[in-house]
Amino acid sequence: MPNRKWLPGGTGELDTARISDNALGEWYEHCGKPEPGTLSWDDYHAMLHAIEHSFRHLPDIHRFRYLHPVRLQHPEFGTGKPYEVPISYSDTASECEPVITIGGLINTKHRFDFLANDTSADLRIIAIDLAGRGGSGWLSEQSDYNIETYIEQLLQFMDHLGLSSCTLLGSSLGGSISIRLAARYPDRVNRIILNDSGPYIPVERRQRRATAIARHYVFDTPAGMFRKTAISARNSGPAPDAVLLYNHHHKTRWSNEENGRVYRHDIRAMLAYRSEATRSLDQWSYWDQLQCPVLLLHGLESDAMLDETIDRMKSNPQLSVIHVHDTGHTPSLSDGDLNRKIAEWVLNDRAYSQDFHFRSRYRPENIFYRI
């Protein structure tokens, strides 16, 4: 049986990532510890099956119809009328404080499944796939992919859920969306959690990211997928194989044409980002308008959040900061201890008197995702 570890706080929540990795380890032992290079796609799906069945529960998946308005379409290349796009989301559907989670450029709603399980006693986690990502539909034109569109999606989404207000948790791009939405619609946002995101992202970092994502990749073997994604995965901090396999599985899909797995996002969304990444992201004017509490999760090895940016953010007296050690851009939100810390901040709704430094107590021994 998996070695279950109870989290601090007395709520009886389980460390989902540890349990999932133990389940994957049991599969690996049962199969005679095969070399990663010998694994087939059937093996890969058996591994995923073991991980999924280790969850106490997986959030239910739903859809709603986003109506893209004419005012957000290009005057020359737009359709000239509103059009619908199916948007996929997951929802733990509890009576707890609702937290809408918004991923980064290529993240999907499933990235937040570990957070949803670890905090189910305290938070209602509602994770959305932005248009062009995950299980959501694609927009008509490349120019339709922008922050204004994503804000409109979030507002319509909240109306669909019947939420007059909620907490927003945004990773990277999701954080940029959260800042602007909270500044312009303060009555709709109770608080925001920024996962290594802030009002300023330097152009150098944006361009490096734009170059990496606006390309087509084919993963023709499980080993190739593990190897090629391991380097990028290390930015999110120490994470066990189960977390990395689960997250990368949901960011990709099988392609019969390519005879391998490919990223499932709309490449035009990435090209739209690349066209905007020629300059730094500057949202200080929105930051100065914020009226709600803010929690910043800062990866100490991040190249997106500069020390001077964080220092300037501290002009907001409602800012709390958690510095996450051994982590770069956007912590994976799979560490049970950190997830509990996030839930405690939401429930206490009180700014920290000083920055908090978080060090994971768990150092996974990765077998498949070796750097």
Side-chain angles (χ1 to χ4, degrees):
M1 294 292 293
N3 180 22
R4 296 189 169 188
K5 168 191 158 190
W6 297 94
L7 296 179
T11 61
E13 292 302 313
L14 298 175
D15 188 336
T16 308
R18 291 287 297 273
I19 294 173
S20 296
D21 206 46
N22 286 340
L24 179 60
E26 288 181 352
W27 176 90
Y28 182 64
E29 293 276 354
H30 177 75
C31 293
K33 299 184 178 180
E35 288 295 322
T38 67
L39 297 176
S40 67
W41 287 116
D42 285 340
D43 294 325
Y44 170 88
H45 286 290
M47 295 163 70
L48 181 69
H49 180 81
I51 295 168
E52 289 180 335
H53 277 70
S54 72
F55 281 88
R56 289 191 305 127
H57 61 82
L58 285 172
D60 291 332
I61 305 299
H62 307 274
R63 283 196 170 196
F64 88 101
R65 308 294 296 188
Y66 163 66
L67 187 64
H68 191 54
V70 174
R71 62 181 172 81
L72 293 179
Q73 299 178 34
H74 192 283
E76 181 179 355
F77 304 117
T79 63
K81 63 178 181 179
Y83 66 90
E84 288 190 340
V85 179
I87 300 296
S88 180
Y89 69 96
S90 63
D91 188 353
T92 57
S94 71
E95 296 300 319
C96 299
E97 167 69 16
V99 179
I100 294 179
T101 63
I102 315 157
L105 281 166
I106 62 174
N107 292 152
T108 75
K109 57 187 174 291
H110 292 286
R111 174 185 176 137
F112 303 101
D113 286 349
F114 295 93
L115 174 70
N117 271 263
D118 287 338
T119 63
S120 61
D122 298 315
L123 303 178
R124 174 188 175 187
I125 300 296
I126 311 164
I128 187 172
D129 280 338
L130 295 174
R133 283 85 167 173
S136 292
W138 295 3
L139 296 169
S140 177
E141 295 289 336
Q142 178 175 315
S143 58
D144 288 344
Y145 289 106
N146 56 64
I147 289 184
E148 292 300 317
T149 291
Y150 303 140
I151 289 175
E152 179 67 20
Q153 285 179 38
L154 265 294
L155 292 172
Q156 291 188 26
F157 184 44
M158 292 174 65
D159 291 341
H160 166 77
L161 295 169
L163 296 177
S164 59
S165 64
C166 68
T167 295
L168 298 178
L169 188 161
S171 291
S172 195
L173 171 63
S176 302
I177 298 167
S178 299
I179 290 172
R180 194 175 300 191
L181 194 157
R184 287 167 47 181
Y185 302 93
D187 58 323
R188 304 300 303 266
V189 182
N190 299 330
R191 62 191 67 77
I192 59 177
I193 302 165
L194 303 176
N195 190 22
D196 207 65
S197 183
Y200 182 82
I201 307 294
V203 62
E204 296 83 5
R205 203 282 165 188
R206 301 187 81 203
Q207 288 184 328
R208 282 196 298 272
R209 184 62 174 148
T211 301
I213 62 175
R215 297 175 60 189
H216 180 68
Y217 293 93
V218 179
F219 306 112
D220 53 6
T221 65
M225 185 175 180
F226 301 150
R227 183 175 59 254
K228 291 178 183 178
T229 56
I231 296 176
S232 61
R234 69 181 177 184
N235 276 327
S236 296
D241 285 321
V243 171
L244 300 176
L245 191 153
Y246 185 80
N247 287 343
H248 284 113
H249 170 80
H250 287 292
K251 286 194 292 188
T252 59
R253 61 175 177 82
W254 180 261
S255 169
N256 287 327
E257 179 183 1
E258 305 281 6
N259 194 33
R261 296 192 69 84
V262 299
Y263 283 112
R264 63 169 61 244
H265 55 255
D266 185 353
I267 192 67
R268 296 174 306 155
M270 306 302 110
L271 294 172
Y273 174 79
R274 187 171 69 180
S275 69
E276 295 179 356
T278 56
R279 59 187 181 279
S280 298
L281 177 70
D282 188 335
Q283 293 196 129
W284 286 116
S285 61
Y286 293 109
W287 179 259
D288 293 338
Q289 297 175 49
L290 290 181
Q291 301 176 24
C292 63
V294 182
L295 173 65
L296 170 64
L297 306 175
H298 168 228
L300 274 174
E301 298 178 12
S302 172
D303 60 352
M305 293 300 298
L306 305 177
D307 290 342
E308 51 264 38
T309 300
I310 298 174
D311 288 341
R312 183 171 172 181
M313 291 172 69
K314 289 181 177 178
S315 63
N316 184 337
Q318 298 193 83
L319 175 69
S320 300
V321 181
I322 298 178
H323 300 287
V324 185
H325 288 248
D326 306 315
T327 300
H329 186 47
T330 62
S332 66
L333 304 185
S334 61
D335 187 291
D337 292 338
L338 180 58
N339 289 341
R340 285 299 312 153
K341 192 72 178 175
I342 293 170
E344 290 168 3
W345 179 85
V346 172
L347 298 179
N348 291 334
D349 212 7
R350 186 169 58 247
Y352 292 166
S353 58
Q354 59 185 9
D355 292 2
F356 181 85
H357 284 258
F358 177 83
R359 293 178 175 85
S360 177
R361 295 185 292 172
Y362 178 46
R363 288 293 184 271
E365 296 181 6
N366 297 92
I367 297 171
F368 305 106
Y369 286 88
R370 293 172 177 167
I371 304 300

